[in-house]
Amino acid sequence: MTQVTIKDLALNLGLSTSTISRALRNHPDINIETKKLVRAAALKLGYEPNIVARNLKTKYSNQIGIIIPEIKHDFFSKAISGIEEVAYNAGFTVIVSQSNEDEEREKINTNALYLHRVAGFIVSLSQTTQNIDHFKILIEKGVKIVFFDRVWEEDDLYKVVIDDFKASKDAVSHLISKGNRRIVHLAGPQILQNCRGRFEGYKEALEEAGIPFDENLVLHGGMHEDDGLKSIKQLIAQNIEFDSIFAVNDPVAVGATLYLKKMGIEIPGKVSIVGFSNNPITEYMSPSLTTIEQPAYEMGKKAAEVLISLIKGEDGFPEKKITLETNLIEREST
Amino acid sequence: MTQVTIKDLALNLGLSTSTISRALRNHPDINIETKKLVRAAALKLGYEPNIVARNLKTKYSNQIGIIIPEIKHDFFSKAISGIEEVAYNAGFTVIVSQSNEDEEREKINTNALYLHRVAGFIVSLSQTTQNIDHFKILIEKGVKIVFFDRVWEEDDLYKVVIDDFKASKDAVSHLISKGNRRIVHLAGPQILQNCRGRFEGYKEALEEAGIPFDENLVLHGGMHEDDGLKSIKQLIAQNIEFDSIFAVNDPVAVGATLYLKKMGIEIPGKVSIVGFSNNPITEYMSPSLTTIEQPAYEMGKKAAEVLISLIKGEDGFPEKKITLETNLIEREST
DNA sequence: ATGAAAGCGCTAACAC
DNA sequence: GTGTTAGCGCTTTCAT
């Protein structure tokens, strides 16, 4: 594992390390012939730059740290691909780190990447994150951070989001247009700004249609399948009547669907359902699920663009908040 | 972004940098009182270790690089979680990097992580990888690499796998036990060792049951849904008769299911289907899919254990090849 | 166009 | 138990 260094090249060619360093990075001062010589020697001796040393010296890194709740969510894996696309083209490398929806892990991972001196962060908050001091401290130290999807509602943070309020309103209005009036909302953790937005959109759509808001139709739970399943089970056990469901995301909608099917309740005959995110499963399940298409890949790309522009300190600072469009995809469940 | 260094602490306390360094790492030589002093000062001044500098000095890193085809596959995201579990507990950090099934990208990413001097690699090969010279070169340089799932068939590599041959034999024997005789195999790229194993297991099961092998029933394609869909479409267009399907993985089985449903062909009435991997979707689709349970999380854990033991140079070298158990999960599709 | 020298922040012989 | 010193591999003034 003995490494060939710039010094070896220097010795080999009878040049100084500074000349080698410059030649390798194609510095304009260096004679073309010298560059050729250096490159040839580098190849011959199997030289490989030590990025760790370079980073130490330059206090600069080309690694972007991604902090997300869980890789397995289709939304996040697509977003990662978007980030990678942009990052690689700009010469950056990407490190992914999952918080597993755990605030503590989020802090630990963030700190680990910070100590490794990543160039910047792209973050989507965990469900259990009560405050973002661990990010604010870094921001104060000059670390560049861009939040996406699960962001913190504060004006001076960079973020890439969708209009959850509007998307949710679209979803619920769609249910109303189909003649539904008793619309259940399976809400997510209200600490998450996007879940709050979706709840507000739900209320707004009802109000616009003149349907009175009924607290009993709103169930608060998590973001996973079993949350949806349990909520609907409870609702039915309580004999609360409803004709449709708007779930905070697709997994929750899937859970609800499973329980209804198990109970032999027809979808959409007896109950209509709308999800949120357009996970692949929504297309293949039976009945296929009406849902909101969230531009995951695009969100990732945008977040990376903003971050890189921040890292490069480009003038014409990017906007603090970027909002991308969503679409309602109508399928069999409504 | 001015960093507080060990030197600042030394100056502040009137001690030498080496004492600070040792105190911080809890070196036994250092007086307990001194340690307390140093820690207090570190806290007060906001000292944060520069891991980049440490890594440069020690030529050691605690980052594990993961190279996988695509994060979005449920199998891989579960495996990553397994790796993380073990890695974090052993004080390692994990970097995930996807090849997107592209050999070129696999090489680039591997090299990028190598230049960053990661402590070792955990790798699952891309579908388009024709040879693994890019890994062998690193291994020769002393880099520790553990392959999992999609491995290269060579004795002296460390790998964590399942017995694809046996699992596939189980799957096909299950179809046979249900009375099927004309069993289609939707095979994966034969360059992948696990796909070859699954093909071999298919043949073996037929032979054991005395069913003649029919080349027309084997279709070679990719690992995605549309591959399964196209293959079955083609088969039906050619009027080739079959009573069941064994797909190389779940997405391919899902694609096949979609096309059969579209054509109004009953499952399992007319055609039975078995997949491979036990992706979540297999449980929720209709009909739910009989499949092979692959211990993704466990495979990740094992791979991480082997790698870490390799990195630490523990004696009692781990076995080169570790094989984990699989299970057939019977559902509605058979 | 090239070289000398200093230093990024840390660790680790080797002294004492 | 603590300090001195050198150096990991690289970049970067400042000379020449």
Side-chain angles (χ1 to χ4, degrees), chain A residues 219-233:
Chain A
L219 285 97
H220 292 277
M223 309 277 277
H224 288 119
E225 251 168 60
D226 48 335
D227 297 306
L229 198 145
K230 275 185 228 153
S231 294
I232 291 303
K233 186 173 177 181

PDB file of all heavy atoms in Angstrom, chain A residues 219-233:
ATOM      1  N   LEU A 219     -57.238  11.896  11.399  1.00  0.00           N
ATOM      2  CA  LEU A 219     -56.472  11.002  12.282  1.00  0.00           C
ATOM      3  C   LEU A 219     -54.987  11.288  12.143  1.00  0.00           C
ATOM      4  O   LEU A 219     -54.461  11.326  11.031  1.00  0.00           O
ATOM      5  CB  LEU A 219     -56.759   9.550  11.932  1.00  0.00           C
ATOM      6  CG  LEU A 219     -58.132   9.077  12.404  1.00  0.00           C
ATOM      7  CD1 LEU A 219     -59.132   9.154  11.276  1.00  0.00           C
ATOM      8  CD2 LEU A 219     -58.052   7.690  12.981  1.00  0.00           C
ATOM      9  N   HIS A 220     -54.363  11.476  13.290  1.00  0.00           N
ATOM     10  CA  HIS A 220     -52.930  11.769  13.258  1.00  0.00           C
ATOM     11  C   HIS A 220     -52.118  10.502  13.480  1.00  0.00           C
ATOM     12  O   HIS A 220     -52.375   9.752  14.412  1.00  0.00           O
ATOM     13  CB  HIS A 220     -52.590  12.813  14.320  1.00  0.00           C
ATOM     14  CG  HIS A 220     -53.170  14.156  14.001  1.00  0.00           C
ATOM     15  ND1 HIS A 220     -52.557  15.038  13.150  1.00  0.00           N
ATOM     16  CD2 HIS A 220     -54.339  14.737  14.372  1.00  0.00           C
ATOM     17  CE1 HIS A 220     -53.303  16.117  13.036  1.00  0.00           C
ATOM     18  NE2 HIS A 220     -54.397  15.959  13.772  1.00  0.00           N
ATOM     19  N   GLY A 221     -51.163  10.293  12.599  1.00  0.00           N
ATOM     20  CA  GLY A 221     -50.323   9.099  12.731  1.00  0.00           C
ATOM     21  C   GLY A 221     -48.997   9.294  12.036  1.00  0.00           C
ATOM     22  O   GLY A 221     -48.616  10.418  11.710  1.00  0.00           O
ATOM     23  N   GLY A 222     -48.310   8.191  11.796  1.00  0.00           N
ATOM     24  CA  GLY A 222     -46.994   8.255  11.155  1.00  0.00           C
ATOM     25  C   GLY A 222     -47.089   8.226   9.644  1.00  0.00           C
ATOM     26  O   GLY A 222     -48.144   8.475   9.070  1.00  0.00           O
ATOM     27  N   MET A 223     -45.981   7.871   9.020  1.00  0.00           N
ATOM     28  CA  MET A 223     -45.896   7.941   7.558  1.00  0.00           C
ATOM     29  C   MET A 223     -45.768   6.559   6.927  1.00  0.00           C
ATOM     30  O   MET A 223     -45.431   6.440   5.753  1.00  0.00           O
ATOM     31  CB  MET A 223     -44.670   8.767   7.158  1.00  0.00           C
ATOM     32  CG  MET A 223     -44.561  10.106   7.833  1.00  0.00           C
ATOM     33  SD  MET A 223     -45.546  11.354   6.991  1.00  0.00           S
ATOM     34  CE  MET A 223     -44.383  11.823   5.690  1.00  0.00           C
ATOM     35  N   HIS A 224     -45.996   5.524   7.707  1.00  0.00           N
ATOM     36  CA  HIS A 224     -45.821   4.179   7.162  1.00  0.00           C
ATOM     37  C   HIS A 224     -47.155   3.466   6.967  1.00  0.00           C
ATOM     38  O   HIS A 224     -48.182   3.902   7.469  1.00  0.00           O
ATOM     39  CB  HIS A 224     -44.925   3.350   8.077  1.00  0.00           C
ATOM     40  CG  HIS A 224     -43.489   3.771   8.027  1.00  0.00           C
ATOM     41  ND1 HIS A 224     -42.817   4.221   9.118  1.00  0.00           N
ATOM     42  CD2 HIS A 224     -42.615   3.829   6.986  1.00  0.00           C
ATOM     43  CE1 HIS A 224     -41.573   4.533   8.772  1.00  0.00           C
ATOM     44  NE2 HIS A 224     -41.425   4.308   7.487  1.00  0.00           N
ATOM     45  N   GLU A 225     -47.064   2.350   6.280  1.00  0.00           N
ATOM     46  CA  GLU A 225     -48.239   1.565   5.983  1.00  0.00           C
ATOM     47  C   GLU A 225     -49.085   1.210   7.187  1.00  0.00           C
ATOM     48  O   GLU A 225     -50.299   1.354   7.179  1.00  0.00           O
ATOM     49  CB  GLU A 225     -47.787   0.267   5.371  1.00  0.00           C
ATOM     50  CG  GLU A 225     -48.094   0.185   3.927  1.00  0.00           C
ATOM     51  CD  GLU A 225     -47.349  -0.990   3.393  1.00  0.00           C
ATOM     52  OE1 GLU A 225     -47.609  -2.101   3.875  1.00  0.00           O
ATOM     53  OE2 GLU A 225     -46.514  -0.774   2.545  1.00  0.00           O
ATOM     54  N   ASP A 226     -48.418   0.705   8.214  1.00  0.00           N
ATOM     55  CA  ASP A 226     -49.200   0.247   9.355  1.00  0.00           C
ATOM     56  C   ASP A 226     -49.912   1.412  10.035  1.00  0.00           C
ATOM     57  O   ASP A 226     -50.953   1.224  10.670  1.00  0.00           O
ATOM     58  CB  ASP A 226     -48.323  -0.521  10.354  1.00  0.00           C
ATOM     59  CG  ASP A 226     -47.048   0.216  10.657  1.00  0.00           C
ATOM     60  OD1 ASP A 226     -46.607   1.015   9.809  1.00  0.00           O
ATOM     61  OD2 ASP A 226     -46.487   0.022  11.744  1.00  0.00           O
ATOM     62  N   ASP A 227     -49.392   2.615   9.879  1.00  0.00           N
ATOM     63  CA  ASP A 227     -50.095   3.770  10.429  1.00  0.00           C
ATOM     64  C   ASP A 227     -51.443   3.947   9.732  1.00  0.00           C
ATOM     65  O   ASP A 227     -52.464   4.179  10.374  1.00  0.00           O
ATOM     66  CB  ASP A 227     -49.250   5.040  10.247  1.00  0.00           C
ATOM     67  CG  ASP A 227     -47.944   4.976  11.010  1.00  0.00           C
ATOM     68  OD1 ASP A 227     -48.001   4.735  12.231  1.00  0.00           O
ATOM     69  OD2 ASP A 227     -46.875   5.138  10.392  1.00  0.00           O
ATOM     70  N   GLY A 228     -51.423   3.821   8.409  1.00  0.00           N
ATOM     71  CA  GLY A 228     -52.662   3.958   7.660  1.00  0.00           C
ATOM     72  C   GLY A 228     -53.646   2.852   8.005  1.00  0.00           C
ATOM     73  O   GLY A 228     -54.841   3.090   8.193  1.00  0.00           O
ATOM     74  N   LEU A 229     -53.101   1.664   8.114  1.00  0.00           N
ATOM     75  CA  LEU A 229     -53.940   0.509   8.422  1.00  0.00           C
ATOM     76  C   LEU A 229     -54.622   0.675   9.779  1.00  0.00           C
ATOM     77  O   LEU A 229     -55.842   0.548   9.911  1.00  0.00           O
ATOM     78  CB  LEU A 229     -53.056  -0.738   8.409  1.00  0.00           C
ATOM     79  CG  LEU A 229     -53.747  -2.069   8.277  1.00  0.00           C
ATOM     80  CD1 LEU A 229     -52.891  -3.029   7.462  1.00  0.00           C
ATOM     81  CD2 LEU A 229     -54.030  -2.668   9.644  1.00  0.00           C
ATOM     82  N   LYS A 230     -53.812   1.019  10.765  1.00  0.00           N
ATOM     83  CA  LYS A 230     -54.354   1.172  12.127  1.00  0.00           C
ATOM     84  C   LYS A 230     -55.395   2.268  12.212  1.00  0.00           C
ATOM     85  O   LYS A 230     -56.423   2.125  12.872  1.00  0.00           O
ATOM     86  CB  LYS A 230     -53.213   1.489  13.095  1.00  0.00           C
ATOM     87  CG  LYS A 230     -52.498   0.249  13.612  1.00  0.00           C
ATOM     88  CD  LYS A 230     -51.462   0.655  14.668  1.00  0.00           C
ATOM     89  CE  LYS A 230     -50.128   0.012  14.412  1.00  0.00           C
ATOM     90  NZ  LYS A 230     -48.979   0.753  14.924  1.00  0.00           N
ATOM     91  N   SER A 231     -55.126   3.373  11.560  1.00  0.00           N
ATOM     92  CA  SER A 231     -56.050   4.508  11.632  1.00  0.00           C
ATOM     93  C   SER A 231     -57.427   4.133  11.092  1.00  0.00           C
ATOM     94  O   SER A 231     -58.450   4.427  11.709  1.00  0.00           O
ATOM     95  CB  SER A 231     -55.496   5.691  10.833  1.00  0.00           C
ATOM     96  OG  SER A 231     -54.322   6.176  11.435  1.00  0.00           O
ATOM     97  N   ILE A 232     -57.421   3.477   9.942  1.00  0.00           N
ATOM     98  CA  ILE A 232     -58.704   3.123   9.333  1.00  0.00           C
ATOM     99  C   ILE A 232     -59.426   2.064  10.162  1.00  0.00           C
ATOM    100  O   ILE A 232     -60.651   2.101  10.329  1.00  0.00           O
ATOM    101  CB  ILE A 232     -58.480   2.621   7.891  1.00  0.00           C
ATOM    102  CG1 ILE A 232     -58.036   3.786   7.013  1.00  0.00           C
ATOM    103  CG2 ILE A 232     -59.742   2.012   7.333  1.00  0.00           C
ATOM    104  CD1 ILE A 232     -59.004   4.954   6.986  1.00  0.00           C
ATOM    105  N   LYS A 233     -58.657   1.172  10.693  1.00  0.00           N
ATOM    106  CA  LYS A 233     -59.235   0.136  11.555  1.00  0.00           C
ATOM    107  C   LYS A 233     -59.966   0.781  12.728  1.00  0.00           C
ATOM    108  O   LYS A 233     -61.110   0.440  13.046  1.00  0.00           O
ATOM    109  CB  LYS A 233     -58.097  -0.746  12.069  1.00  0.00           C
ATOM    110  CG  LYS A 233     -58.544  -1.957  12.851  1.00  0.00           C
ATOM    111  CD  LYS A 233     -57.351  -2.841  13.170  1.00  0.00           C
ATOM    112  CE  LYS A 233     -57.771  -4.037  14.028  1.00  0.00           C
ATOM    113  NZ  LYS A 233     -56.590  -4.873  14.353  1.00  0.00           N
TER     114      LYS A 233
END
